[in-house]
Amino acid sequence: MDLLIAQILAIAKRSWKYRWPGLMVAWLVGVIGAVVVTVLPDRYEASARIFVDTQSILKPLMSGLAIQPNVEQQVVMLSRTLISRPNVEKLIRMADLDLKNQSKAEQEALIETVTRNLSIQSTARDNLYTLAYRDSDKDSAKRVVQSFVSIFVESSLGSSRKDSATAATFINEQIKNYEAKLEEAEGRLKEFRLRNLQNMDADGKDSASRLREMSTELERARLEYREAVNGRDAAKQQLEAERKGVSSTTQGLLQESALNIATPELDARLDAQRRNLDALLQRYTEQHPDVISARKSIFDIEEEKRMKMKELRKAALASPGTVGAANGSMAAQEMSRLLASAEVQVATLRARVDEYSARYGRALASVRTAPQLESEAAQLNRDYAIHKKNYEDLVSRRESASMSGELDLASGVADFRLIDPPRVSPKPVAPNRLLLLAGVMAGSLIAGLATAFLVSQVRPVFHDALELRARIDLPILGVVTRLTTAADVQRKRKDLIRFGAAFGSLLGMFVLGLAVMAFLITRQVA
């Protein structure tokens, strides 16, 4: 600690030796600084306050129908990015600040100056924005703030409309792309259906269901075929018995059968129509036109059969003798007609069994390739459904975006209310000469001290033998003492008085300058 104090005292002594150069530098810095502070031009501030109302009565009413952006965030981002080079250049043109600029360097300097003097202050909670600009000319400052307010409002509206137009353009392009994809998917699905038309069912049933249905139809046809064969065989046996004349009982039965008039042709047509009705009812309802037509055909055939049987019975009753005489031949003829009808029915059912068998075989063969076809069909349907859903969603979003743009045009992104119009402060807001002058005083003192210290370091002086020995690291053999006379003491005293007067005059100049500045500022405020 003692060594540190000794070093500080040694530095102070060496600096004191060069006090006059330090004082001259302090005077020079002080005078120059005071002149600069005095000649600095006054700067006036023009400002305006804007309230941004982001609440609109239409937005709650249109909730869910139109896309509503985050207006608060947009306005905050706008306020942060408003002071940009394009906006500053536009502001300079609007305020006519570029009339005196000729060179490119002057234009760049003006842009830098305007950018540095512009400011936006906001209270995000209240949506109040203060736009300010400082200039030495009151009229220029006011024009700049007026232009700045216009740019602030126009930028918000322009950005909203630009965003809406950009969104609409993007959505329209996506709609065109998905429309092309949807058409392509429809084309692939159509080609697949045409290529596999024979393997597809109009009712939308899968291959297993069609196979089961075909198997049921085939079993029913085989059963009917067996019944027809059995009926034909019975008719053959009865005809053979008639021809052989087996017994009187059989002849009586044949005679009775002859008297019971039969219409095999109408019975075959009626049976065919009933089977057709059964097949239609398995696929359609009672109200289907084919079902109604089939029932009408059955009713017409039944009426025709009833009328024909009535006529035949009348003819038989009109000639009973002929019937009794030729009962054997009539029975044989009737049995022949029954046999012929049975043969026709057997042939028809045989053809039906063969057709159902062929269909069942094709359905059984298609079951092996059905999983692959169904998988491909499912993939095509899934792609088509996805593209269709995206297309419909994009169309819905386009309508929503269009409605949002119309909402913005109707209500605006926000309502900009000018609370305080652009005005210029009557008193200059800069520079703060009182503070600058105090800073110049402190700077001049620091400059003087620094000068004395630097000179002492360049031309060091040692006031103590111990300090000299520590610095040169050599043994000191002796010290020669200088005798101080009365004239030396008198000379030191005069030098100290002159230094004190010079230093005091420097401080007095600054104190007087501060007092004058304070008086002038007080007078301006009053």
Side-chain angles (χ1 to χ4, degrees):
M1 186 65 183
D2 295 337
L3 181 60
L4 179 61
I5 295 175
Q7 290 178 355
I8 293 174
L9 292 176
I11 292 173
K13 290 178 181 180
R14 287 196 296 269
S15 299
W16 177 255
K17 180 173 178 62
Y18 299 102
R19 60 186 178 274
W20 284 106
L23 183 60
M24 287 188 292
V25 171
W27 265 97
L28 181 62
V29 172
V31 171
I32 294 175
V35 172
V36 170
V37 170
T38 304
V39 300
L40 281 176
D42 293 333
R43 300 181 65 82
Y44 298 89
E45 183 179 73
S47 63
R49 282 200 309 162
I50 299 177
F51 171 68
V52 182
D53 186 8
T54 58
Q55 302 298 326
S56 174
I57 191 172
L58 288 177
K59 293 181 179 179
L61 296 176
M62 300 299 292
S63 178
L65 297 177
I67 301 173
Q68 302 188 15
N70 191 342
V71 180
E72 290 81 1
Q73 184 178 2
Q74 290 182 358
V75 174
V76 171
M77 185 59 63
L78 174 65
S79 65
R80 293 179 180 177
T81 59
L82 187 62
I83 304 178
S84 60
R85 186 179 179 88
N87 288 337
V88 172
E89 293 177 352
K90 182 179 179 181
L91 179 64
I92 290 174
R93 291 192 298 270
M94 294 176 63
D96 297 332
L97 299 180
D98 57 342
L99 298 180
K100 299 179 180 180
N101 297 330
Q102 300 296 332
S103 63
K104 186 69 174 178
E106 291 179 351
Q107 294 178 2
E108 293 294 331
L110 180 60
I111 292 174
E112 293 294 333
T113 302
V114 173
T115 303
R116 185 172 57 254
N117 292 327
L118 283 174
S119 65
I120 300 179
Q121 298 178 355
S122 64
T123 56
R125 185 182 62 182
D126 299 329
N127 287 335
L128 282 174
Y129 294 88
T130 302
L131 310 181
Y133 177 72
R134 291 185 178 183
D135 199 326
S136 58
D137 187 4
K138 293 183 178 181
D139 295 334
S140 297
K142 187 175 181 179
R143 288 198 307 271
V144 169
V145 173
Q146 289 175 345
S147 303
F148 201 24
V149 170
S150 300
I151 292 176
F152 183 50
V153 176
E154 293 174 358
S155 298
S156 63
L157 298 177
S159 62
S160 173
R161 295 170 184 172
K162 183 178 179 181
D163 292 341
S164 299
T166 303
T169 303
F170 175 76
I171 292 176
N172 287 329
E173 292 177 355
Q174 293 298 316
I175 287 176
K176 291 181 180 179
N177 293 335
Y178 272 98
E179 187 174 0
K181 293 180 180 179
L182 187 61
E183 292 177 355
E184 183 180 357
E186 290 176 349
R188 289 197 303 266
L189 189 59
K190 181 179 68 176
E191 292 176 0
F192 174 79
R193 289 177 177 175
L194 292 176
R195 189 172 59 252
N196 302 279
L197 188 60
Q198 70 278 5
N199 296 324
M200 299 181 65
D201 189 59
D203 296 337
K205 298 179 181 178
D206 56 1
S207 58
S209 299
R210 292 197 301 271
L211 183 62
R212 288 193 298 269
E213 182 179 353
M214 196 61 63
S215 177
T216 303
E217 293 290 338
L218 180 59
E219 292 297 331
R220 184 183 298 116
R222 286 175 177 174
L223 178 59
E224 293 175 355
Y225 174 71
R226 287 194 298 269
E227 291 176 353
V229 170
N230 292 333
R232 183 196 62 183
D233 294 340
K236 284 182 179 180
Q237 292 177 3
Q238 289 180 3
L239 183 58
E240 291 176 358
E242 173 64 24
R243 289 176 179 176
K244 293 178 180 179
V246 180
S247 63
S248 60
T249 305
T250 305
Q251 291 178 356
L253 290 174
L254 289 175
Q255 185 178 2
E256 184 180 357
S257 176
L259 293 175
N260 292 329
I261 305 302
T263 56
E265 182 181 356
L266 294 177
D267 291 339
R269 289 171 55 192
L270 185 60
D271 184 67
Q273 289 295 332
R274 287 175 178 173
R275 294 181 186 279
N276 184 29
L277 178 61
D278 292 337
L280 291 174
L281 288 175
Q282 291 179 3
R283 300 180 60 183
Y284 308 113
T285 61
E286 292 287 345
Q287 287 76 23
H288 196 272
D290 293 344
V291 175
I292 296 174
S293 177
R295 288 191 179 278
K296 186 176 183 304
S297 299
I298 292 173
F299 178 78
D300 293 340
I301 294 172
E302 288 178 348
E303 286 293 328
E304 184 180 356
K305 179 181 177 181
R306 189 178 302 110
M307 295 298 296
K308 188 172 183 179
M309 291 181 67
K310 185 176 181 181
E311 292 176 357
L312 292 176
R313 286 194 183 97
K314 287 181 179 180
L317 292 176
S319 57
T322 305
V323 175
N327 56 2
S329 60
M330 289 182 61
Q333 292 176 3
E334 183 66 23
M335 292 303 298
S336 297
R337 287 196 298 269
L338 290 176
L339 181 59
S341 177
E343 290 289 350
V344 171
Q345 187 175 3
V346 168
T348 302
L349 293 177
R350 181 60 191 175
R352 183 181 298 179
V353 170
D354 293 340
E355 178 63 23
Y356 282 159
S357 298
R359 292 183 183 179
Y360 180 77
R362 290 194 298 268
L364 185 61
S366 66
V367 169
R368 299 176 182 177
T369 59
Q372 181 179 358
L373 295 177
E374 291 175 358
S375 176
E376 186 177 355
Q379 179 67 33
L380 292 174
N381 289 326
R382 181 166 57 250
D383 294 342
Y384 174 76
I386 291 173
H387 292 323
K388 183 178 180 182
K389 180 180 181 301
N390 292 336
Y391 176 78
E392 292 175 351
D393 290 343
L394 285 172
V395 172
S396 176
R397 293 294 178 87
R398 181 178 63 183
E399 296 300 325
S400 180
S402 176
M403 192 177 298
S404 300
E406 294 176 359
L407 176 62
D408 292 338
L409 292 177
S411 62
V413 177
D415 185 14
F416 292 84
R417 301 176 185 175
L418 190 61
I419 304 300
D420 292 331
R423 58 181 298 274
V424 184
S425 58
K427 305 298 181 183
V429 296
N432 190 349
R433 288 186 171 84
L434 187 63
L435 182 61
L436 290 177
L437 191 61
V440 169
M441 181 181 68
S444 63
L445 295 178
I446 293 174
L449 293 175
T451 301
F453 173 76
L454 291 176
V455 174
S456 67
Q457 294 297 317
V458 174
R459 300 180 63 183
V461 177
F462 302 99
H463 296 274
D464 191 354
L466 295 177
E467 183 182 1
L468 177 62
R469 185 172 60 186
R471 178 64 64 88
I472 63 177
D473 198 15
L474 292 174
I476 298 177
L477 301 178
V479 178
V480 177
T481 303
R482 180 183 176 181
L483 296 177
T484 303
T485 62
D488 294 333
V489 173
Q490 186 68 23
R491 188 171 56 255
K492 289 182 179 180
R493 184 180 295 110
K494 290 181 180 179
D495 183 71
L496 184 61
I497 292 173
R498 288 195 299 270
F499 180 78
F503 184 72
S505 62
L506 177 63
L507 293 180
M509 181 189 69
F510 280 113
V511 171
L512 179 61
L514 290 174
V516 172
M517 291 291 180
F519 175 74
L520 292 176
I521 292 174
T522 304
R523 186 175 179 181
Q524 288 178 355
V525 173

